[in-house]
Every structure is written in structure tokens, then in C-alpha cells.
Amino acid sequence: MPVKIKNIEIKGLRGIKEKLTIKLDGKSILLFGENGSGKSSITDVIEWYYTDKVSHLSGSEIDLKEALRNSNLSEADESTVKINYSWNVLDCEKKLFFKRKKLSTELSINSEDYTNYIKSSESENLVLRYHALRNFIDITRGEKLKYLSDIIGYSDVTKVKEILKKSR
């Protein structure tokens, strides 16, 4: 049974100060809008929820937790992202909060089912950003095929096919 996201609630992260609820009901989402409208805030939070990092906010000069937390919050406020799934045993809230003057994170659950789900999600392409799409348009047809094969898992089939051709 495939697990689908039912909804996402974000509060106090990146450009989202007040609670934002996105109802997906298992559907994919395409975000578009003007610069500064919050698209990256949403995708950054989703990437952080699943991977504990945000690729474009990585670097030694950037404190990820500080960059994620909405700058208009007080130290007493918690920043949260909560995701509800079609399989509700995975429903989880990830918090970012101050503890002893240091930003800390905490998950509302730590079950084996949740841990396995997050681990299996590591190889998923959860967020496709504009620059990746733009780069995709500029590559050759063969590179596009390889890229798409990697995303949908067809690359393993291609590798086996190449090995069989060589051995023949």
C-alpha cells in the first residue's frame, strides 16, 4: 500500500510565521507564484522534514536551524511542521525550538514504522526546484533519459541490461 501525504501544517518556519495548512489528499502539488510569495519556504520545510537539511542552505557559513526558523518569532515560540499521511501511524510533527539558549529539534514519534518510512524516502525526489528543471531542459536527450531513469528507478534495469549485453 503506497503511503500518501494527506496534509502539511507549517508554522514559524522560513517565511511562514502563522500556521499554513496545505491539504493534498494524496495528490502531487505544483507551487508557482511571484518571487517572495513563499514557494521556497514550503519546499525548504518539506526537504528539512525528510532529510534534516536544505540543499541550497548548506554551507559552513549558514546555521541551518537559524535559517529555517522564522526571524519574527520570540525564543518562547516553537516552529513546527506536521505531516499527516494516509497511514496515520506515520503522522508526525517536527519541532524547532530553543532549549538552554540553543535551537533544538524534536519529533513527536520515533516508531520503527516511521523510521523505516523516512529511510525509504531518502532516495525519493521529493522536491523539484526551478533551477533543476531549467538545467534539465538544457541537457542532451541521452542525459535526460538517464536523469529520468534515475528518478523513476529505471536506472537499475538499464544497468542490468548493459551487463547482459556485455556478457553476451
Side-chain angles (χ1 to χ4, degrees), residues 115-145:
T115 303
N116 290 338
Y117 169 73
I118 292 296
K119 189 165 186 69
S120 69
S121 297
E122 288 175 355
S123 62
E124 297 291 328
N125 192 356
L126 297 167
V127 176
L128 179 61
R129 297 182 189 272
Y130 173 75
H131 66 84
L133 186 57
R134 188 184 63 230
N135 292 344
F136 179 79
I137 291 168
D138 293 337
I139 61 178
T140 67
R141 188 175 181 184
E143 291 169 324
K144 286 178 185 173
L145 179 61

Side-chain angles (χ1 to χ4, degrees), residues 53-67:
K53 62 184 184 224
V54 179
S55 57
H56 73 97
L57 295 178
S58 61
S60 58
E61 69 281 352
I62 295 175
D63 180 338
L64 177 62
K65 291 177 183 174
E66 285 286 341

Side-chain angles (χ1 to χ4, degrees), residues 11-27:
K11 181 180 170 228
L13 290 162
R14 299 287 285 148
I16 305 165
K17 184 177 179 186
E18 302 301 322
K19 184 168 88 167
L20 169 71
T21 302
I22 303 167
K23 294 191 183 294
L24 297 174
D25 294 324
K27 298 178 178 129

Side-chain angles (χ1 to χ4, degrees), residues 1-58:
M1 168 185 83
V3 176
K4 304 281 185 175
I5 296 174
K6 290 181 3 184
N7 67 24
I8 302 170
E9 291 180 4
I10 303 168
K11 181 180 170 228
L13 290 162
R14 299 287 285 148
I16 305 165
K17 184 177 179 186
E18 302 301 322
K19 184 168 88 167
L20 169 71
T21 302
I22 303 167
K23 294 191 183 294
L24 297 174
D25 294 324
K27 298 178 178 129
S28 297
I29 185 171
L30 170 67
L31 300 174
F32 64 95
E34 298 293 322
N35 288 343
S37 62
K39 303 176 302 290
S40 292
S41 293
I42 294 167
T43 56
D44 291 352
V45 169
I46 293 169
E47 185 177 354
W48 173 68
Y49 178 89
Y50 280 94
T51 67
D52 267 337
K53 62 184 184 224
V54 179
S55 57
H56 73 97
L57 295 178
S58 61

Side-chain angles (χ1 to χ4, degrees), residues 23 37 40 48 52 59 75 85 91 94 113 146 158 164:
K23 294 191 183 294
S37 62
S40 292
W48 173 68
D52 267 337
E75 280 196 14
Y85 299 91
D91 292 357
K94 188 171 188 175
D113 288 329
K146 183 187 178 324
T158 305
L164 290 172

